[in-house]
Amino acid sequence: QVQLVESGGGLVQAGGSLKLSCAASGSIFSINAMGWYRQAPGKQRELVAAITSAGSALYADSVKGRFTISIDNAKNTVYLQMDSLKPEDTAVYYCRVGRKLYVSPNDYWGQGTQVTVSS
């Protein structure tokens, strides 16, 4: 089992910044990738950004140039630096960890942290 602790969500004005963190513990030997996903009300959960332990990253087109994902392998922690936030970035953000860069059935998910961007 893997336990995930997310932090960093909150309320921010448009144009502002937030940094999310997700720390993994437990059976972390199985983790090769970590990522962030979000779900807005009435919408499906979508990829925001994901990164492998080697540092290969991918981003949703909607956040490219504004968000930066990074990983600290020593701390088993993934970060999401969110700059130039827009109201449409408002969602619950979920941390995911697993063996692959893309979602797979055996992944672990965090409880989610709310990000609200006011206009």
Side-chain angles (χ1 to χ4, degrees), residues 2 4-5 8-9 14 18 25-26 33 46 48 50 54 62 79 85-86 91 97 104:
V2 173
L4 301 174
V5 177
L18 284 174
S25 61
E46 63 177 5
V48 177
S62 60
Y79 305 94
L85 282 160
K86 304 175 181 180
V97 302
S104 63

Side-chain angles (χ1 to χ4, degrees), residues 6-10 12 16-22 36 68-71 77-83 85 113 115:
E6 302 160 328
S7 61
V12 65
S17 298
L18 284 174
K19 186 173 184 177
L20 305 182
S21 300
C22 174
W36 290 96
T68 303
I69 191 169
S70 60
I71 192 168
T77 300
V78 63
Y79 305 94
L80 185 68
Q81 177 67 45
M82 304 185 293
D83 299 317
L85 282 160
T113 184
V115 171

Side-chain angles (χ1 to χ4, degrees), residues 39-93:
Q39 187 167 17
K43 295 187 177 182
Q44 290 187 333
R45 190 174 298 187
E46 63 177 5
L47 167 73
V48 177
I51 189 168
T52 67
S53 56
S56 297
L58 62 89
Y59 295 89
D61 288 342
S62 60
V63 306
K64 284 181 181 178
R66 300 189 298 122
F67 291 10
T68 303
I69 191 169
S70 60
I71 192 168
D72 185 331
N73 291 313
K75 296 181 179 180
N76 300 306
T77 300
V78 63
Y79 305 94
L80 185 68
Q81 177 67 45
M82 304 185 293
D83 299 317
S84 302
L85 282 160
K86 304 175 181 180
E88 50 264 44
D89 294 318
T90 295
V92 178
Y93 283 68

Side-chain angles (χ1 to χ4, degrees), residues 96-107:
R96 175 196 70 88
V97 302
R99 297 182 62 84
K100 300 180 180 180
L101 189 60
Y102 296 93
V103 173
S104 63
N106 296 324
D107 291 345

